[in-house]
């Protein structure tokens, strides 16, 4: 059996060595960082998701769960093998409409575990928006100053306004405690799994940056 599989293994090794771009600095995917704060790798992944979903479906914002990022990328050449270590799950790009309130509820969920000793995977790495949060405030009331990037400038989040968000299929369907996203889908708001694996979107984004 081993001899028969040897060509496949060689092919796989070649694929893993394939260079997909260059990282000018170390891209931080350390577990304790991506699960507790924004990192440059988290931002880059979210930016890529937003770019693709904006181009295809006019999305406004993107959210990636920190727990979906499994490793850092060292400075220098980025290989396919490295990328598959960073994003091993092959989650697909999902787009959904939700209200500002549903987004706020999602962010409250996202930051709710960031100070725990055993960090859950739900921390939100985002694009197209920014927000502040106060870990000392009561649960459900920690996120404030939520701003959404619209037509080149940040505007305050409107609780009743509708926003179009790119995320992954796992988070969209309520994974990592994001139940307000699943509720938006259950209400029959626009939602669609675009089917592109997360690592492919990242590759495309990095190559467009001229990595």
């Amino acid at each position: 059996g081993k001899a028969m599989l040897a060509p496949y293994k060689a092919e796989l090794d070649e694929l893993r060595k394939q260079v997909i771009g260059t990282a000018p600095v170390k891209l931080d995917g350390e577990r304790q960082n991506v699960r507790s704060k924004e990192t440059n790798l988290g931002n880059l992944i979210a930016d890529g998701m937003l770019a693709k979903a904006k181009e295809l479906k006019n999305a406004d914002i993107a959210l990636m769960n920190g727990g979906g990022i499994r490793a850092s990328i060292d400075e220098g050449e980025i290989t396919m093998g490295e990328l598959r270590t960073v994003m091993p799950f092959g989650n697909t790009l999902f787009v959904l409409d939700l209200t500002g309130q549903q987004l706020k509820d999602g962010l409250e969920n996202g930051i709710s575990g960031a100070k725990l000793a055993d960090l859950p995977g739900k921390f939100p790495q985002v694009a197209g928006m920014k927000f502040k949060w106060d870990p000392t405030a009561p649960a459900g009331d920690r996120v404030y100053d939520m701003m959404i990037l619209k037509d080149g400038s940040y505007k305050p989040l409107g609780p009743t306004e509708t926003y179009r968000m790119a995320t992954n299929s796992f988070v969209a369907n309520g994974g990592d405690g994001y139940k307000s996203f699943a509720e938006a889908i259950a209400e029959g708001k626009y939602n669609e799994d675009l089917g592109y694996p997360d690592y492919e979107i990242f590759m495309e984004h990095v190559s467009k940056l001229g990595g």
Side-chain angles (χ1 to χ4, degrees), residues 91-207:
N91 280 320
T92 48
L93 183 68
F94 198 104
V95 181
L96 68 148
D97 283 355
L98 73 175
T99 65
Q101 186 60 53
Q102 286 168 329
L103 175 57
K104 181 187 188 291
D105 292 345
L107 294 174
E108 291 283 358
N109 166 67
I111 56 94
S112 65
K115 298 290 180 193
L116 299 177
D118 185 23
L119 293 166
K122 56 189 169 182
F123 192 84
Q125 303 285 340
V126 300
M129 61 173 149
K130 54 187 185 182
F131 63 93
K132 297 188 178 114
W133 60 283
D134 175 5
T136 65
D141 208 16
R142 292 176 179 154
V143 175
Y144 64 102
D145 270 7
M146 288 158 292
M147 306 290 280
I148 307 288
L149 188 58
K150 275 279 200 191
D151 309 316
S153 66
Y154 282 96
K155 307 200 173 38
L157 176 111
T160 58
E161 273 185 55
T162 297
Y163 298 98
R164 182 157 290 182
M165 180 177 70
T167 186
N168 59 47
S169 42
F170 171 71
V171 167
N173 290 299
D176 270 345
Y178 281 101
K179 61 177 193 291
S180 63
F181 299 169
E183 281 160 14
I185 292 174
E187 285 163 11
K189 290 186 174 69
Y190 165 78
N191 67 90
E192 191 178 354
D193 191 332
L194 301 185
Y196 295 94
D198 49 14
Y199 63 92
E200 281 185 15
I201 288 165
F202 183 77
M203 258 170 68
E204 191 179 301
H205 187 58
V206 166
S207 65

Side-chain angles (χ1 to χ4, degrees), residues 71-98:
S72 290
I73 293 175
D74 293 326
E75 187 181 336
E77 287 184 341
I78 306 171
T79 64
M80 190 59 160
E82 253 185 314
L83 184 54
R84 295 298 313 197
T85 306
V86 172
M87 298 185 194
F89 303 115
N91 280 320
T92 48
L93 183 68
F94 198 104
V95 181
L96 68 148
D97 283 355
L98 73 175

Side-chain angles (χ1 to χ4, degrees), residues 15 19 22 32 37 40 49 63 79 96 105-106 124 166 169-170 189:
L15 192 65
V19 175
T22 310
Q32 66 274 21
K37 60 186 181 192
N40 58 355
M49 290 164 77
L63 184 150
T79 64
L96 68 148
D105 292 345
S169 42
F170 171 71
K189 290 186 174 69

